Amino acid sequence: MKTTIRFAALFLLLLSSSAALAQVHSTPADSLRPSVRAYRNVVRLDVLVVLVRNLSYLLDGGTALPLLVGYERQLGPHVSGNVEALLDAGNAKERITGLALQMRYYVATPRHPTGLTGLYVAPMVGARLVKRDYLASFVWYTPSGYIQRRVLGGAGGAIGWQTTFGPQSRLLFDTSLGIMGWKQLNNSAVPIGCINCSDDSTHYEQGIIMPDARFSLGYRF
């Protein structure tokens, strides 16, 4: 009985010593492991679309205040989900609004071991609603307005870089370049009697694939 107790005590002593030794040796390695960053959310405003679309509208004699805003949420050490909303005041004849979804994968580097900064690749899908306002005139009706709605769906991908203005800064910028393919999803046939109505494709549909660029300023929290 005494021998059993002594053996059990010796075994527990060796076990506790081994655990303590393992903890001492593992502490330096654990300290080198990248910690999960505190900032898991980002909101952004695309400044490129504001400049480009406003310039194109102003050259055509129209007015616009397009806004492309985004929200990104970290889902894992290197993966995030990103949603974008396009709010386009457009001009008197055409208005465009839309949504886009991205799944971003960030490439781990020594400077960016985890989190929402660094080089990333992102597959994406999107939808656009294009409203065109025409003057309609029917034989049995007085002249009235007619709004044509074109619903577009798109898919593509992008590669980009997101980084902060400093190690502790919450302000960041995001730039990316990608391609998207768009296709009309609904039937937007022009009604009989509509003056100047057309079913012309939008600039999204002018090619099989279209370039898609971003330059955004953001805030992480």
Side-chain angles (χ1 to χ4, degrees):
M1 185 66 178
K2 293 183 179 180
T3 304
T4 304
I5 295 176
R6 289 175 182 175
F7 178 79
L10 181 61
F11 177 78
L12 292 176
L13 180 61
L14 291 175
L15 184 62
S16 60
S17 301
S18 300
L21 185 62
Q23 184 177 3
V24 171
H25 285 286
S26 63
T27 300
D30 292 339
S31 64
L32 296 177
R33 293 178 184 173
S35 59
V36 178
R37 301 197 177 190
Y39 305 120
R40 299 175 61 87
N41 304 274
V42 174
V43 290
R44 287 185 304 270
L45 173 66
D46 192 324
V47 296
L48 183 62
V49 69
V50 175
L51 297 176
V52 173
R53 284 189 177 272
N54 264 306
L55 180 60
S56 64
Y57 279 129
L58 291 176
L59 291 177
D60 293 336
T63 58
L65 183 59
L67 294 177
L68 182 61
V69 295
Y71 169 71
E72 184 178 3
R73 169 71 177 178
Q74 185 176 355
L75 304 177
H78 308 292
V79 179
S80 70
N82 183 57
V83 58
E84 294 179 340
L86 175 64
L87 310 174
D88 194 344
N91 53 33
K93 294 183 179 180
E94 184 175 278
R95 295 172 181 267
I96 304 174
T97 56
L99 287 173
L101 298 175
Q102 284 185 343
M103 182 65 70
R104 292 187 174 187
Y105 176 79
Y106 286 86
V107 180
T109 63
R111 291 189 60 185
H112 305 277
T114 184
L116 301 177
T117 57
L119 179 69
Y120 65 85
V121 292
M124 54 186 173
V125 294
R128 293 289 185 268
L129 174 61
V130 182
K131 293 183 179 180
R132 291 171 173 172
D133 193 358
Y134 296 101
L135 177 64
S137 178
F138 299 91
V139 176
W140 56 91
Y141 286 111
T142 57
S144 60
Y146 170 73
I147 296 179
Q148 181 190 49
R149 292 176 173 85
R150 295 174 66 91
V151 180
L152 310 176
I159 181 171
W161 177 268
Q162 182 166 263
T163 189
T164 61
F165 288 95
Q168 304 299 324
S169 176
R170 293 198 176 202
L171 300 178
L172 51 77
F173 70 89
D174 174 60
T175 180
S176 67
L177 181 63
I179 55 174
M180 289 284 289
W182 295 93
K183 184 177 181 180
Q184 185 178 356
L185 301 180
N186 70 327
N187 183 9
S188 59
V190 176
I192 300 175
C194 182
I195 299 176
N196 296 325
C197 285
S198 66
D199 201 24
D200 296 338
S201 61
T202 64
H203 69 275
Y204 291 100
E205 307 162 87
Q206 292 177 358
I208 299 177
I209 57 175
M210 297 292 293
D212 191 275
R214 299 280 188 276
F215 185 83
S216 306
L217 299 177
Y219 177 83
R220 61 178 182 170
F221 59 97

